[in-house]
Amino acid sequence: MAMINTGDIRLHVQRMPPKSGRPAVATAVLVHGMLTDSLASYYFTLAPAFAKSGIDVVTYDLRGHGRSERPNSGYTLDYNLNDLDALLDRLNVTGPVHLVGNSYGGTVAFSYAVRRPDRVASLSVIESSPATPEWAANLGVGMRQWAARMEKDEAAVLDWITVHRGHHKARQAKRAAQLVQATTIVRDVPASRVLTEDQIRSVRCPALFIYGGESSLVEQSAWLESLLPDYRSIVVPGHEHSVLIEAPRAVGTHVLSLIHEVAKAAALGVSQPGTDAQ
């Protein structure tokens, strides 16, 4: 375990170097989801396989989550982008990284590619979408409804989660409730600065979007394909939003394939489709 001081906040970071001991073929930064999530979702799914395949893996807890510091305020998307930028600086990661984001982490990863295209080699976005006005509105409604249910009868909500999802999920929900009650996150995240279509279109690196086959997010695929020059998509049948946890091998196989493809092309000095304009 390591705590990294970005100059603004202390973030909990876990780094897995390649298992072989050889120089890394690439660096992957894994960004988790919001409220009930933490870097543990990667530690027990994708991270070990990535390190075994020769990748330097960086996972970290977003501000307010896991073991990272929990400020009272400052939870807009821009704060998370600042954290990621500073984290890479503190870790002395100089080359472009392969960003992997799940749920809200995918939104963070995509926005970071808009802000810092020079630092992103590829994007793998799992059950997520760019930060659009629709994203902000839908997220705001969902967060407020969840917070209201927890405020009204937290014990009943946690009992239901325990029965239907298990004790681990209930513990995650309890920690999320504490975050919501102690901070401005419910107000801050939906109030984040969103992206225009031109900004979305500016992402030139290979972008892989992975969806659960039963997820409504699949509907955005045609729109994104019309905007992104190197858009790729994978649908994992029989899953919804929790596809990373429920089908980690399938998700990991596709993400690893993209990372190694891009890393190999970079080593050979070959431009990826859609990157000529960078």
Side-chain angles (χ1 to χ4, degrees):
M1 180 185 80
M3 297 299 293
I4 302 294
N5 191 334
T6 69
D8 179 52
I9 194 169
R10 296 174 72 247
L11 297 176
H12 171 224
V13 180
Q14 292 279 1
R15 194 166 188 175
M16 291 187 182
K19 293 293 186 183
S20 64
R22 297 176 181 174
V25 300
T27 298
V29 180
L30 316 183
V31 191
H32 67 76
M34 189 168 47
L35 294 183
T36 59
D37 209 356
S38 70
L39 67 76
S41 63
Y42 287 117
Y43 190 84
F44 294 107
T45 56
L46 305 186
F50 282 22
K52 186 176 181 180
S53 76
I55 295 172
D56 178 24
V57 182
V58 177
T59 64
Y60 69 103
D61 285 325
L62 295 172
R63 56 173 50 219
H65 294 72
R67 297 180 180 179
S68 287
E69 188 177 351
R70 188 177 71 186
N72 294 331
S73 61
Y75 289 92
T76 63
L77 189 53
D78 278 331
Y79 277 98
N80 283 291
L81 300 183
N82 294 341
D83 291 345
L84 177 53
D85 213 30
L87 179 63
L88 294 179
D89 288 341
R90 297 297 187 275
L91 294 176
N92 296 314
V93 177
T94 56
V97 301
H98 299 265
L99 286 181
V100 181
N102 180 52
S103 192
Y104 177 68
T107 305
V108 173
F110 195 94
S111 289
Y112 190 75
V114 171
R115 179 194 281 196
R116 293 297 308 269
D118 57 308
R119 294 194 100 164
V120 181
S122 77
L123 277 173
S124 294
V125 177
I126 306 162
E127 267 297 299
S128 184
S129 64
T132 64
E134 293 77 15
W135 165 85
N138 292 335
L139 188 62
V141 170
M143 292 181 74
R144 288 191 296 271
Q145 289 178 343
W146 186 86
R149 286 197 297 270
M150 293 297 283
E151 183 177 1
K152 181 179 180 180
D153 196 342
E154 180 177 318
V157 173
L158 293 178
D159 286 345
W160 186 94
I161 294 173
T162 300
V163 171
H164 294 87
R165 302 292 175 81
H167 291 283
H168 178 63
K169 285 291 185 183
R171 287 194 297 270
Q172 289 179 322
K174 186 174 181 61
R175 288 196 295 269
Q178 293 169 348
L179 174 61
V180 166
Q181 293 159 5
T183 73
T184 58
I185 191 169
V186 172
R187 295 197 301 272
D188 289 357
V189 177
S192 296
R193 180 167 45 178
V194 296
L195 301 174
T196 65
E197 281 203 352
D198 283 344
Q199 288 175 311
I200 294 171
R201 192 180 285 110
S202 73
V203 173
R204 312 293 295 179
C205 68
L208 171 65
F209 280 70
I210 298 178
Y211 306 104
E214 307 304 314
S215 169
S216 61
L217 286 174
V218 177
E219 297 173 1
Q220 74 179 2
S221 191
W223 171 68
L224 286 172
E225 186 173 16
S226 73
L227 296 177
L228 300 175
D230 193 353
Y231 173 79
R232 306 151 186 228
S233 65
I234 296 293
V235 176
V236 183
H239 296 280
E240 297 182 358
H241 193 62
S242 300
V243 63
L244 170 64
I245 302 302
E246 296 170 357
R249 182 172 297 181
V251 171
T253 296
H254 292 298
V255 176
L256 272 179
S257 178
L258 173 66
I259 293 174
H260 282 289
E261 173 196 330
V262 175
K264 182 177 180 180
L268 295 173
V270 178
S271 295
Q272 288 289 307
T275 61
D276 295 338
Q278 282 189 331

